[in-house]
Amino acid sequence: MKEKENNEEEKIILIAKMYTGGYIENNIGHEIINFFKPDNIDSYYGYITYNGKVNPKKSDKIHKILFVSNIKGRKVKVLAKIENPEVIINTDEGNTHKKQIKYIEKENIKYNNVLLSDIMQESGLDEYGIYITYKAEKIEEPNEDYYILLNDNKEEEEKENHIKTSWNIGHNIGYISNIKNEKDYKIIDEFLNKKIWKEKEIREIKEINPETMKEYASLGDNEESFMDLIKKEYDESTFSNMLFYYFDKKKMFKDFAKHVFNLELSDNIKINREKSTFSDSKNGRIDLFVEDKKNKVCIVIENKIKSAINGRDYTVDEKTDKIVKRSQLYKYMEWVNEEKDKNGIKKYTEYSKNYFIFVPNYREEELRKHIQENNLMPKDNGKDVYKIITYKEIFNYFNQEELKLKMKEDKYYKDFVKALSKHIYTADKEMERKFINAINKVLNR
């Protein structure tokens, strides 16, 4: 082994996460340039999170880069790969920031006719910031979804589109060496050499649909709301409270249910915030519980911005005598089915029962896979009991021009709608929106 280490040339595969960390919640994720093409340039330029730096002792050994996004602790989704990248500037050289600006100006690296350095300075990158990590001639993506299981993930079975390793990427970036990580390097390298890769379509800014550009601009990043001030833009409880306020205090739920849930409700609606389900062995709190006594309808709403489906435990299925998992989704459904009135009669036997999960668009895929792979979804005649409602659907309702006009005297409504808008895109689209808005801000100075 020692002889091998001394004689074999070290090669490194750099694995980098995208769309991760708290920074991108309120700033441009600089790695957005990884999947955008500069104006009239054949090469691509990219950025490695979290600060654009790679280990200078490893930079000349990196022969492949693999981009992934986080699914959960021990699992990542494969996004793209790059062969033979050129690391632009070694961070050991000093004055890297100034050298990068000169490099960008010399190579004329522009997006929608704005220099990359100007865009990133507009986004608030400090004077020591790095704008470009590498240069590449081609970017490829897999022809279907693939996932890498990390750190001997034993929670999931290895499937055809899952690559299992004993290696762990860390928070943002990891280096797999053919010498120091021989077994896992071989697994990843074989995956990267499979005939599953196709050239990724990389657009210039000018190729984005004009309607999409108009929508991006309409949301803006320049107007601060009270949510920005109190730093609660990603707080689940705060959003549940705001939804309750407009659903209940402003009497908007009936119309919302008609447009979003396709449910007809009466005016006799009772809405509970954090409805307690403490009874017998079951416990928990439903984020929003709605009861319509006249039309015999009840609705359970779980709001999931950052949290997972929790409250998992094990119980014995009375029909099969098997031990099964029970998530909070089961518990709330069972509570609705078994809740009794003061006379001991089940309250909701004759009711139409409806279950929903509110989720940001950037978390929809992750949450669906989490539910499916952990068997957390109750079924009724083979169909999912809970329906997932994205924040885009919620935003589209509250953002109607007619409704905004009607609510113009409400001093909080505009801020509420703006808060919703932070959760209506997938992570890459939200990053794209902020990038384009920063470009437009430079152009409109």
Side-chain angles (χ1 to χ4, degrees):
M1 190 68 169
K2 286 260 185 185
E3 185 179 350
K4 180 179 179 181
E5 288 180 358
N6 290 331
N7 294 334
E8 185 174 350
E9 179 185 356
E10 186 177 23
K11 294 181 180 180
I12 290 174
I13 299 171
L14 171 65
I15 299 187
K17 286 183 185 178
M18 290 185 64
Y19 322 130
T20 186
Y23 180 82
I24 64 172
E25 291 179 355
N26 294 298
N27 301 278
I28 297 173
H30 302 142
E31 70 265 34
I32 187 62
I33 66 169
N34 297 353
F35 297 155
F36 260 122
K37 189 176 180 182
D39 301 343
N40 307 313
I41 295 178
D42 291 332
S43 299
Y44 306 103
Y45 295 88
Y47 179 95
I48 300 295
T49 54
Y50 74 104
N51 59 11
K53 299 177 183 178
V54 296
N55 188 322
K57 294 180 181 178
K58 302 178 187 291
S59 60
D60 60 347
K61 300 173 184 177
I62 297 169
H63 72 114
K64 293 178 184 178
I65 299 176
L66 178 61
F67 291 109
V68 298
S69 63
N70 219 27
I71 294 295
K72 55 181 181 178
R74 294 186 177 187
K75 181 176 180 177
V76 293
K77 181 181 180 181
V78 175
L79 299 177
K81 74 164 183 173
I82 290 172
E83 306 260 355
N84 303 312
E86 175 192 341
V87 176
I88 297 296
I89 294 175
N90 191 313
T91 55
D92 271 2
E93 293 176 354
N95 292 321
T96 304
H97 179 72
K98 291 180 180 178
K99 288 182 179 180
Q100 287 228 324
I101 290 176
K102 287 182 180 179
Y103 180 89
I104 290 166
E105 290 172 348
K106 179 185 174 186
E107 300 295 321
N108 199 32
I109 303 171
K110 292 183 175 181
Y111 297 83
N112 207 28
N113 208 34
V114 180
L115 284 169
L116 176 62
S117 48
D118 290 340
I119 299 168
M120 291 310 182
Q121 284 172 347
E122 182 59 49
S123 76
L125 195 65
D126 65 32
E127 59 182 305
Y128 304 108
I130 291 175
Y131 302 133
I132 296 174
T133 308
Y134 66 85
K135 178 181 179 181
E137 299 304 316
K138 186 169 69 171
I139 302 174
E140 295 177 291
E141 64 181 354
N143 54 21
E144 60 179 281
D145 289 345
Y146 282 88
Y147 302 88
I148 298 176
L149 304 180
L150 306 169
N151 199 22
D152 288 327
N153 185 334
K154 295 182 175 63
E155 296 176 11
E156 298 185 44
E157 295 179 11
E158 192 169 0
K159 302 170 188 173
E160 191 173 335
N161 65 338
H162 285 57
I163 298 89
K164 194 166 189 176
T165 72
S166 59
W167 180 79
N168 196 9
I169 189 173
H171 186 61
N172 291 102
I173 188 173
Y175 303 89
I176 298 187
S177 163
N178 63 328
I179 294 173
K180 297 176 182 176
N181 318 99
E182 183 180 358
K183 181 181 175 183
D184 289 315
Y185 177 92
K186 185 178 179 181
I187 292 171
I188 298 295
D189 196 47
E190 285 179 357
F191 168 65
L192 295 178
N193 289 327
K194 281 186 174 183
K195 293 182 178 181
I196 60 167
W197 300 89
K198 61 182 180 180
E199 189 160 358
K200 185 174 176 64
E201 183 182 353
I202 307 292
R203 299 171 299 167
E204 292 182 29
I205 298 292
K206 65 185 179 183
E207 295 175 294
I208 295 176
N209 185 302
E211 289 302 312
T212 301
M213 297 280 275
K214 190 185 296 183
E215 182 178 57
Y216 286 166
S218 73
L219 300 176
D221 290 307
N222 305 325
E223 297 178 30
E224 284 191 326
S225 72
F226 66 79
M227 292 290 282
D228 299 312
L229 298 177
I230 63 175
K231 303 298 180 188
K232 293 288 187 179
E233 308 99 308
Y234 293 82
D235 185 79
E236 204 167 274
S237 183
T238 300
F239 274 86
S240 294
N241 288 337
M242 289 193 295
L243 287 166
F244 175 71
Y245 173 80
Y246 285 104
F247 284 160
D248 188 56
K249 302 301 181 186
K250 295 297 179 178
K251 308 298 181 188
M252 297 174 75
F253 189 78
K254 178 181 177 181
D255 192 55
F256 176 89
K258 181 178 180 180
H259 283 83
V260 181
F261 298 159
N262 197 28
L263 290 175
E264 293 289 343
L265 301 179
S266 73
D267 292 325
N268 186 22
I269 301 171
K270 182 180 180 182
I271 306 177
N272 293 273
R273 171 76 176 102
E274 291 196 333
K275 175 67 175 177
S276 173
T277 62
F278 283 78
S279 63
D280 300 328
S281 61
K282 300 172 185 61
N283 60 78
R285 293 185 183 276
I286 300 171
D287 288 334
L288 293 165
F289 181 72
V290 184
E291 186 178 354
D292 180 353
K293 291 183 178 180
K294 183 177 180 181
N295 282 11
K296 302 286 185 186
V297 176
C298 64
I299 301 168
V300 168
I301 298 173
E302 271 300 291
N303 185 31
K304 296 293 181 187
I305 290 183
K306 284 191 172 182
S307 65
I309 304 300
N310 53 40
R312 280 182 285 170
D313 59 14
Y314 295 87
T315 188
V316 177
D317 189 306
E318 294 178 1
K319 294 181 180 178
T320 63
D321 219 25
K322 292 181 179 179
I323 297 176
V324 292
K325 286 182 181 178
R326 284 286 187 255
S327 70
Q328 65 184 133
L329 304 184
Y330 284 91
K331 292 176 181 178
Y332 299 155
M333 182 186 74
E334 290 169 354
W335 175 83
V336 171
N337 288 334
E338 297 173 17
E339 176 66 357
K340 297 173 182 177
D341 61 22
K342 59 184 179 181
N343 298 316
I345 300 171
K346 289 184 179 180
K347 290 178 69 172
Y348 305 115
T349 302
E350 298 179 6
Y351 278 60
S352 164
K353 305 174 186 68
N354 304 271
Y355 303 86
F356 300 96
I357 303 172
F358 289 177
V359 62
N361 289 66
Y362 53 79
R363 280 204 67 206
E364 183 184 5
E365 179 187 11
E366 171 202 343
L367 193 72
R368 285 187 185 278
K369 287 189 177 297
H370 175 63
I371 289 171
Q372 179 186 357
E373 292 171 356
N374 290 281
N375 194 29
L376 303 177
M377 176 65 74
K379 302 283 185 179
D380 183 15
N381 293 323
K383 294 183 179 180
D384 290 350
V385 169
Y386 286 77
K387 181 182 178 182
I388 289 179
I389 302 293
T390 66
Y391 263 68
K392 179 75 169 179
E393 295 172 87
I394 301 168
F395 170 81
N396 285 345
Y397 172 77
F398 286 107
N399 195 46
Q400 295 176 85
E401 290 302 324
E402 183 181 343
L403 201 52
K404 287 193 290 186
L405 185 62
K406 181 181 176 182
M407 299 297 293
K408 67 179 181 178
E409 299 303 320
D410 185 304
K411 59 184 178 182
Y412 305 114
Y413 192 76
K414 186 178 179 181
D415 284 6
F416 167 61
V417 174
K418 185 169 188 276
L420 290 172
S421 76
K422 289 183 177 286
H423 304 283
I424 67 173
Y425 296 115
T426 54
D428 57 334
K429 290 297 180 186
E430 175 62 5
M431 203 178 289
E432 177 181 286
R433 181 185 76 81
K434 291 175 180 175
F435 186 59
I436 290 169
N437 279 356
I439 292 171
N440 291 337
K441 193 172 180 182
V442 176
L443 290 171
N444 294 328
R445 280 176 180 164

